[in-house]
Every structure is written in C-alpha cells, then in structure tokens.
Amino acid sequence: MRDIGGGVTAGYWFDRHLGVIAHASAGYLVGDAAGSPVTREGSRWQPIGGLMLAYRF
C-alpha cells in the first residue's frame, strides 16, 4: 500500500447540454512511498483539485 485517501466529485448542469464538474481529493503517503528520497523533501499529504467544463451532445 502506498497511500490512503479520499475525495469528492460534484456536478451542476446549467441546462441540458452545459455543466460544470468539480473534484477535490487528498492522499496521505504511507510505507515505502513516504520514505522515498523523491518524497522526503515534500509533504506526505498529496492534495488534488480540479474544475471542468462539460458539454453533452
């Protein structure tokens, strides 16, 4: 196992075709991944976020 995490995704449709989707999540590095020289300089917390514009045909 390299990390433990969770997240949430939510969407809102303005009309039948156009919408917006948001995503936020975070992971916490554990085990060998947390002790790696690549991750030693940074944080064990790995947050991710995104906002997307969506179009349905």
Side-chain angles (χ1 to χ4, degrees):
M1 185 175 348
R2 71 177 176 100
D3 66 35
I4 299 170
V8 63
T9 302
Y12 178 78
W13 293 96
F14 300 111
D15 60 27
R16 232 179 94 164
H17 299 287
L18 189 62
V20 65
I21 301 168
H23 175 80
S25 64
Y28 187 75
L29 297 174
V30 295
D32 291 340
S36 168
V38 175
T39 60
R40 194 172 298 140
E41 296 295 321
S43 172
R44 293 178 86 173
W45 284 102
Q46 304 293 307
I48 298 172
L51 188 63
M52 299 168 273
L53 189 60
Y55 184 82
R56 294 193 271 212
F57 296 95

